[in-house]
């Protein structure tokens, strides 16, 4: 019977893991909704206490205000962006001349290394791959937009319901816990909720600061297309560690096309901005709320990106923050308590064993 029970539990575990894998998109939507609800809970609670607004209405107002801010930013950004696109069309002959220069330099390099494939063949293959990929994306664009709209609507509705019913959900969860441990569990729940809210609010502020600093630096250096490149760099902050530098690849590529001096200045500016973010901006904005070990952050981003792509990498750090709180506040104290009980119980066990061994053993 124990063998059968072990096999049954192993089978149920495998089924549960497969079920979680199949439902990973739904779980990702739920976690993002919890993330937004945690970020909204602080401002909505302030509006509720200050103006006696219902929490759900306060959350809706915050969403409307955020959407209005995005529309205002778009209103300011789109006209210059269109102007820079037109400037790109005007500068197309200049980029064509630089392309010819790169091809000539490659031809000189190929004369020294004949094993290299022809330049035109590689560019033709690259262009065909880009066109094929763009065609596939354009074909799937309507379905992708509709799926994205449904996901955003789901996050909006679920986050509002969580903000409105958070107190009831918290009371119900604590009612399932032994009364002697409710205080500790409530503290863990509140710390997890606070960390999630701090993460998203801090991330938005850091993105805005990094995007503004990048835009000013690109204007001073003279890099073309400063607005779209600054927006891409700001969005790269959504993915920790690797995201900021992956987002700077287009920036550095365009700076390289503009010349070695522009490329070097852009690289130096990127390094300076990243160091400012790491040593000044993030500590001031986030404080010690997200003091997570770097190894845990890196591994969580890798796992999140593997399971859920960019969205999985985005939620990896707050998920790691929750795991960090649970390990520090639950697992570590529980294990220490076990070890303490085991060490306190050893003298009694030794005395019992000696008693069974005989009076001479006890005397010794």
């Amino acid at each position: 019977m124990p063998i059968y029970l072990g096999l049954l539990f192993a089978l149920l575990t495998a089924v549960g893991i497969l079920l979680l894998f199949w439902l990973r998109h739904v779980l990702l939507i739920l976690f993002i909704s919890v993330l937004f609800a945690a970020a909204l809970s602080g401002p909505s609670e302030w509006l509720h206490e200050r103006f006696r607004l219902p929490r759900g209405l306060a959350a809706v107002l915050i969403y409307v205000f955020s959407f209005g801010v995005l529309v205002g930013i778009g209103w300011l950004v789109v006209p210059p962006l269109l102007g820079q696109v037109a400037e790109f069309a005007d500068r197309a002959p200049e980029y064509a001349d630089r392309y010819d220069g790169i091809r000539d330099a490659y031809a000189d390099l190929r004369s020294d290394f004949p094993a290299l494939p022809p330049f035109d063949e590689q560019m033709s293959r690259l262009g065909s791959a880009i066109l094929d990929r763009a065609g596939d994306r354009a074909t799937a664009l309507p379905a992708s937009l509709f799926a994205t709209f449904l996901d955003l609507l789901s996050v909006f509705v679920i986050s509002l319901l969580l903000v409105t019913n958070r107190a009831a959900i918290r009371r119900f969860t604590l009612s399932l816990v032994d009364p002697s441990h409710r205080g500790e569990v409530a503290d863990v729940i509140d710390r997890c909720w606070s960390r999630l809210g701090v993460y998203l609010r801090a991330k938005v502020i850091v993105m805005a600061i990094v995007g503004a600093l990048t835009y000013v630096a690109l204007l001073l250096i003279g890099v073309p297309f400063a607005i779209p490149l600054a927006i891409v760099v700001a969005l790269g902050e959504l993915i920790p560690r690797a995201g900021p530098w992956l987002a700077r690849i287009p920036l550095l590529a365009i700076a390289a096309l503009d010349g070695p001096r522009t490329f070097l200045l852009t690289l130096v500016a990127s390094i300076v901005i990243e160091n400012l973010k790491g040593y000044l901006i993030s500590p001031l904005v986030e404080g010690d709320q997200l003091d997570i070990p770097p190894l845990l952050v890196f591994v969580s981003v890798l796992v999140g990106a593997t399971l859920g792509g960019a969205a999985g990498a985005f939620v990896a750090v707050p998920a790691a923050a929750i795991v960090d709180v649970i390990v520090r506040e639950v697992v570590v104290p529980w294990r220490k308590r076990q070890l303490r009980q085991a060490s306190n119980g050893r003298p009694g066990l030794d005395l019992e064993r000696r008693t069974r061994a005989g009076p001479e053993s006890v005397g010794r």
Side-chain angles (χ1 to χ4, degrees):
M1 183 60 68
I3 296 177
Y4 293 148
L5 289 177
L7 291 175
L8 178 61
F9 288 143
L11 180 61
L12 291 177
T13 302
V15 171
I17 293 174
L18 286 175
L19 186 61
L20 291 176
F21 181 75
W22 290 333
L23 296 177
R24 65 186 184 276
H25 184 73
V26 178
L27 297 175
L28 187 62
I29 294 298
L30 290 175
F31 191 82
I32 293 176
S33 302
V34 171
L35 195 60
F36 275 84
L40 290 172
S41 61
S44 61
E45 193 68 28
W46 181 80
L47 291 175
H48 172 71
E49 294 177 357
R50 183 70 181 271
F51 301 102
R52 302 299 179 184
L53 294 175
R55 292 182 178 86
L57 179 59
V60 172
L61 291 178
I62 295 171
Y63 268 125
V64 172
F65 175 76
S66 302
F67 182 74
V69 170
L70 291 177
V71 171
I73 293 175
W75 185 268
L76 295 175
V77 167
V78 169
L81 181 61
L82 294 177
Q84 291 187 355
V85 171
E87 180 185 354
F88 176 77
D90 295 337
R91 298 179 64 175
E94 179 182 350
Y95 289 121
D97 295 337
R98 293 180 182 177
Y99 173 83
D100 293 336
I102 295 174
R103 183 172 57 182
D104 295 338
Y106 185 86
D108 296 337
L109 181 64
R110 189 166 178 264
S111 62
D112 297 330
F113 301 94
L116 292 174
F119 182 80
D120 293 334
E121 178 183 342
Q122 290 196 72
M123 291 296 103
S124 176
R125 188 181 307 166
L126 178 62
S128 299
I130 293 175
L131 290 177
D132 293 341
R133 190 68 179 270
D136 295 339
R137 289 300 180 93
T139 303
L141 183 61
S144 300
L145 289 177
F146 184 70
T148 303
F149 171 75
L150 290 181
D151 291 343
L152 293 176
L153 183 62
S154 301
V155 170
F156 174 74
V157 173
I158 295 173
S159 61
L160 286 182
L161 293 176
L162 288 174
V163 170
T164 306
N165 301 297
R166 174 179 174 259
I169 295 173
R170 184 176 181 274
R171 285 195 302 268
F172 174 75
T173 304
L174 293 177
S175 67
L176 303 177
V177 181
D178 187 85
S180 61
H181 298 292
R182 284 180 184 173
E184 299 174 0
V185 175
D187 183 61
V188 171
I189 292 175
D190 292 339
R191 288 194 62 183
C192 291
W193 189 262
S194 174
R195 275 199 168 194
L196 291 178
V198 167
Y199 173 77
L200 189 57
R201 291 193 295 267
K203 183 63 68 175
V204 172
I205 296 174
V206 170
M207 286 173 58
I209 295 175
V210 170
L213 290 177
T214 303
Y215 175 69
V216 172
L218 295 183
L219 282 183
L220 294 177
I221 296 172
V223 179
F225 322 116
I227 293 177
L229 292 175
I231 293 174
V232 171
V233 171
L235 292 176
E237 296 295 327
L238 290 174
I239 302 176
R241 305 296 177 183
W245 289 106
L246 290 176
R248 283 183 168 87
I249 292 177
L251 167 62
L252 295 175
I254 292 179
L257 287 175
D258 208 56
R261 176 180 173 276
T262 304
F263 173 79
L264 183 60
L265 291 176
T266 304
L267 180 61
V268 171
S270 299
I271 295 174
V272 170
I273 291 173
E274 280 301 301
N275 280 277
L276 281 176
K277 185 193 73 176
Y279 292 104
L280 182 63
I281 299 172
S282 292
L284 287 177
V285 175
E286 298 173 357
D288 57 353
Q289 294 294 320
L290 292 177
D291 186 17
I292 310 173
L295 179 61
L296 179 59
V297 173
F298 190 75
V299 172
S300 63
V301 169
L302 288 179
V303 174
T306 302
L307 294 177
F314 167 65
V315 302
V317 173
I322 293 178
V323 172
D324 182 65
V325 171
I326 293 175
V327 169
R328 291 186 181 185
E329 302 296 331
V330 179
V331 177
V332 173
W334 169 73
R335 184 55 183 164
K336 287 183 177 179
R337 196 160 48 245
Q338 275 191 331
L339 295 174
R340 189 164 53 249
Q341 291 174 355
S343 63
N344 292 336
R346 281 172 185 168
L349 292 175
D350 294 340
L351 180 61
E352 183 180 355
R353 290 171 182 171
R354 292 178 181 179
T355 304
R356 290 178 181 177
E360 297 180 358
S361 177
V362 174
R364 287 197 300 270

